[in-house]
Amino acid sequence: MDESVIGDEHPAPNWSDFSLRQLAHFVAVADAGTLAGAAERLFMSPSAVAASLSELERLLGADLCVRRRAQGVTLTPVGRVLLVEAKRLLAQAAEISYLARGNDQELTGPLVVGCYVTLAPTVLPRLLETFETDHPRVTVDLVEGDQIRLQEGLFAGELDIAIMYDLDLSEALTSVPLYEPRAYALFAADHPLASADFVTLEQLSTEPLALFNQAPSARYAMSLFHDVGLKPNIRHRTQTYELTRSLVARNLAYALLVQRPTNKSSYEGFSIVEKEILPEVKGCPVVLAWPRDVPLSPRAKALERLARAHYR
């Protein structure tokens, strides 16, 4: 069959017809949700962004979005599909640029690393100390957040890779286990249980609890009680790690935490005491994760190798 007649009704586009710049403008519009928001990000006028988007639609022969003055921009089905591929293509184009600027022995370019908020102060500095020595031309940006925010960032292409707990992870993520800490109880120095050799969940269930209420830390803490048929006595719900520790230090409640800072005092300088829980509770694995269908950049691969070696 003469291949020249295949698809005459919908001829393949000439790749010279549209540019990476136009794709970047489309991605900015989709991410911002408005032409004005995209124009601000791109340092362009809204009319120039609109003209670029219209030209891309004309060249592709498809409407990519519906523009409503009061409601912003809504992607069409074609636009949603193109957005995924456009981001992938722009990332690949960026990699070509970084490869051209580097050499076989030296990585260059940006790396955006996400990390669960309580893991970040202890995990990231020790990894970056080695990584930045080995790869000085890589620019590393760090984003802290809870499990939901990190997964959203990975799927949106805002993060290259993330360090988080292996709890409530999407099946669309690839994950590599790093280590598996377990919960402990934290008390003020003058709390009656602070002098015990260890504590039990039965003892803890009657004490007032300051619950660190960030996903998935809260679910993990609650599951420890639920697994043995107990219900904790929640006195406070907190959003930050250090506030939790400060409430404990003033003997307003105890806390169930996983990370163990070397500093055994609160921001205010009051002493706090860690106690092991027996029988031993289940662990809360820490993993390195990224989208399953997105290949890691050379910079992210280097961080993955370093993390595996560090925690092996």
Side-chain angles (χ1 to χ4, degrees):
M1 179 181 292
D2 184 356
E3 295 184 359
S4 64
V5 301
I6 296 177
D8 280 347
E9 294 181 3
H10 303 284
N14 183 340
W15 294 110
S16 63
D17 286 347
F18 61 89
S19 66
L20 292 174
R21 185 180 299 276
Q22 288 170 322
L23 289 179
H25 295 170
F26 164 65
V27 169
V29 170
D31 287 347
T34 65
L35 291 172
E40 185 175 351
R41 295 184 184 187
L42 296 167
F43 301 100
M44 298 170 60
S45 68
S47 60
V49 174
S52 177
L53 181 58
S54 296
E55 179 64 7
L56 179 62
E57 290 177 319
R58 185 189 70 80
L59 293 169
L60 294 175
D63 292 330
L64 302 179
C65 59
V66 179
R67 311 177 206 184
R68 298 185 178 92
R69 186 178 300 275
Q71 299 176 349
V73 170
T74 302
L75 294 183
T76 65
V78 173
R80 289 195 292 271
V81 173
L82 180 64
L83 178 62
V84 175
E85 297 305 322
K87 286 185 175 181
R88 195 192 311 271
L89 183 58
L90 290 170
Q92 291 171 343
E95 286 303 322
I96 292 173
S97 174
Y98 302 140
L99 287 172
R101 281 182 266 162
N103 54 54
D104 292 340
Q105 288 75 39
E106 189 171 26
L107 295 176
T108 184
L111 175 64
V112 184
V113 182
C115 192
Y116 188 74
V117 61
T118 58
L119 293 170
T122 54
V123 172
L124 289 180
R126 65 180 64 176
L127 289 178
L128 291 182
E129 183 177 25
T130 301
F131 185 86
E132 295 192 356
T133 298
D134 294 343
H135 309 290
R137 295 187 63 190
V138 175
T139 302
V140 184
D141 289 336
L142 308 174
V143 177
E144 299 174 68
D146 64 18
Q147 205 88 336
I148 296 173
R149 165 72 183 89
L150 294 177
Q151 293 190 76
E152 289 175 347
L154 288 171
F155 291 126
E158 298 168 356
L159 304 175
D160 295 307
I161 201 165
I163 300 169
M164 60 181 82
Y165 288 112
D166 189 12
L167 291 173
D168 301 328
L169 284 188
S170 168
E171 294 182 357
L173 291 176
T174 294
S175 62
V176 173
L178 298 180
Y179 65 103
E180 188 173 344
R182 285 177 169 76
Y184 62 91
L186 190 68
F187 299 100
D190 56 349
H191 190 286
L193 291 177
S195 58
D197 293 332
F198 61 87
V199 295
T200 66
L201 289 173
E202 287 79 5
Q203 289 174 305
L204 295 177
S205 65
T206 62
E207 296 289 328
L209 168 65
L211 182 67
F212 178 50
N213 200 29
Q214 289 278 8
S217 292
R219 193 174 77 79
Y220 170 66
M222 295 294 288
S223 73
L224 299 180
F225 291 100
H226 292 168
D227 288 350
V228 293
L230 296 172
K231 184 178 180 180
N233 174 23
I234 301 174
R235 181 70 179 90
H236 303 285
R237 297 178 187 269
T238 65
Q239 296 297 314
T240 65
Y241 191 73
E242 286 303 332
L243 174 57
T244 308
R245 285 161 51 90
S246 291
L247 292 177
V248 168
R250 285 187 174 270
N251 211 1
L252 298 175
Y254 79 96
L256 283 178
L257 299 174
V258 175
Q259 296 305 305
R260 300 175 184 251
T262 303
N263 180 16
K264 305 306 180 186
S265 60
S266 70
Y267 263 14
E268 297 176 294
F270 296 119
S271 296
I272 42 185
V273 179
E274 299 172 358
K275 289 296 172 180
E276 302 301 329
I277 302 171
L278 292 179
E280 191 175 76
V281 297
K282 64 185 177 184
C284 190
V286 175
V287 299
L288 197 63
W290 63 91
R292 189 177 302 277
D293 61 347
V294 178
L296 287 177
S297 70
R299 297 169 299 285
K301 285 181 181 178
L303 181 65
E304 181 212 357
R305 288 193 297 269
L306 173 63
R308 283 177 183 265
H310 181 85
Y311 287 104
R312 182 173 296 137

